[in-house]
Structure formats: C-alpha cells, structure tokens
Amino acid sequence: MKAAVWHGEREISIEEREAKEIQPDDVKVKVAWAGICGSDLHAYLHPSSVPMNLNTILGHEFSGEIAEVGSNVTKFKEGTEYAFIQ
Ligand SMILES: [Zn+2]
C-alpha cells in the first residue's frame, strides 16, 4: 500500500509500505479517502510545534470500508463503510 511519510520539516514522500497482519483485536480498513489535517500541516511547516516522530505515516483522518476484522471484534463488520478520525 502507498503511504505519505513525514521525514521532517518540508519533507514528505510517498512510499510503499507492507500492510500489517491483522491481530484478534484489529480492524483492517480499505481506505477510500485520507485527508491531511492541520496537525499534519504544522508538522510539515513547523515541526517543533507538533510532537511527531520521524517517519510517521500521515493521514489519520480517513474514510473507507471494513475489509477484515479480528477474531475478538464484535462491534464492526466487514463491508461496512465508515469515516474515521484516529
Ligand atoms: Zn487531525
């Protein structure tokens, strides 16, 4: 999957990342849309103003469809569409 990765002030790259294997308490979402919010923009322009680790994947506000749920998950079902803010 592709990910926007923050590397520091004014440094973002689009990189290929391996999806993690789903665990019993996980929900895997097939992302339809992901946004860049104000905190992402602050990290890009003024990194000292936002506590963020190097190599963080941006886009924590997104929408998509539940693709897979872990064996302990009961609240979410595959195929349901949601908007998420992480
Ligand atoms: Zn945000």
Side-chain angles (χ1 to χ4, degrees):
M1 67 180 175
K2 294 195 182 308
V5 183
W6 179 77
H7 296 287
E9 187 173 350
R10 297 177 188 263
E11 288 188 43
I12 295 174
S13 61
I14 304 300
E15 301 177 8
E16 199 63 39
R17 293 291 175 99
E18 194 70 32
K20 295 178 182 173
E21 190 170 317
I22 194 164
Q23 299 299 307
D25 295 327
D26 290 346
V27 173
K28 183 182 280 186
V29 177
K30 181 178 182 190
V31 175
W33 294 92
I36 300 296
C37 81
S39 56
D40 296 329
L41 182 60
H42 283 293
Y44 179 75
L45 295 173
H46 311 289
S48 61
S49 67
V50 178
M52 189 179 291
N53 295 322
L54 291 176
N55 302 316
T56 293
I57 296 175
L58 301 177
H60 58 267
E61 297 171 4
F62 57 98
S63 65
E65 179 179 315
I66 304 291
E68 189 175 356
V69 296
S71 58
N72 293 340
V73 175
T74 58
K75 188 175 177 182
F76 297 100
K77 297 198 179 324
E78 291 177 21
T80 307
E81 294 178 340
Y82 284 96
F84 296 89
I85 297 177
Q86 184 180 19

